[in-house]
Amino acid sequence: MHSTTIHVEVPGDPVGKQRPRFARIGNTAIRAFTPAKTKAYEAKVGLLAMSKRTGTIMEGPVSVSIVAVFKRPQRLKRRKDPDALILYDGRVDLDNVIKAVLDGLNGVIYVDDKQVVKIAAASYYSEKAGSPRTMITVMEQAETPNQTRQNDEDMAPGPARAGTAGSS
């Protein structure tokens, strides 16, 4: 199988997926919606990813690497501070950035984010002269016949599956 790799760089501060918001419609109906900031970031990721896609949408398993680089705060711009990337300790959770990126790539690079079998992610403050960005790499994974799963039940933990150790 030919392995496809796509690299995308999204300029600007990474945005974490925010919790859904709820609005009351009339007296009884409640509607959930994604906050505008999250929607805009996911759309930006999707648009930039679409421009990098050369072939068809990936349908098999994929691995995703995400490097979130946030704007460096003033407190880390002193002369004694390193010029290179510094580990991030800010407010935005890396797992929420991962969720936003994966949702932004949904239907653009791969069919659905359930295809993601491996994730590597890190978060940093930018270099002193650098700018905030999110660097994303998506790589199609080769699937061997022994690794193919037929349905979601194949993913159940050992004791819950029929015919496994512990059941007589």
Side-chain angles (χ1 to χ4, degrees):
M1 173 188 221
H2 174 265
S3 181
T4 304
T5 302
I6 296 174
H7 301 282
V8 180
E9 187 164 317
V10 182
D13 260 329
V15 174
K17 181 126 181 142
Q18 298 170 315
R19 297 188 186 280
R21 304 288 183 232
F22 298 92
R24 184 175 298 277
I25 301 170
N27 290 335
T28 57
I30 296 178
R31 183 176 84 81
F33 65 94
T34 303
K37 186 175 180 181
T38 299
K39 267 185 150 171
Y41 183 71
E42 290 173 0
K44 185 177 183 181
V45 168
L47 187 64
L48 291 168
M50 178 63 84
S51 71
K52 298 291 184 172
R53 192 178 90 199
T54 55
T56 60
I57 200 163
M58 296 177 187
E59 294 182 0
V62 298
S63 66
V64 179
S65 170
I66 301 167
V67 178
V69 181
F70 294 86
K71 181 179 177 186
R72 186 182 283 222
Q74 279 302 127
R75 67 182 172 84
L76 296 174
K77 291 184 179 179
R78 301 169 300 187
R79 191 181 314 240
K80 69 178 186 175
D81 291 322
D83 289 335
L85 296 172
I86 298 175
L87 290 174
Y88 179 74
D89 64 356
R91 292 182 45 184
V92 179
D93 291 348
L94 182 58
D95 64 322
N96 291 327
V97 174
I98 293 168
K99 290 176 204 171
V101 167
L102 294 182
D103 285 350
L105 297 174
N106 244 355
V108 176
I109 298 299
Y110 44 73
V111 178
D112 190 78
D113 55 10
K114 70 181 179 182
Q115 292 170 243
V116 178
V117 296
K118 190 187 322 181
I119 299 173
S123 58
Y124 300 97
Y125 286 116
S126 68
E127 307 85 348
K128 280 186 181 174
S131 56
R133 61 204 179 271
T134 306
M135 297 175 288
I136 306 162
T137 303
V138 181
M139 189 165 69
E140 203 168 23
Q141 297 293 292
E143 189 171 26
T144 62
N146 294 339
Q147 293 174 325
T148 321
R149 69 181 166 103
Q150 300 302 315
N151 55 42
D152 289 335
E153 290 175 10
D154 292 345
M155 297 301 291
R161 291 168 46 191
T164 58
S167 62
S168 302

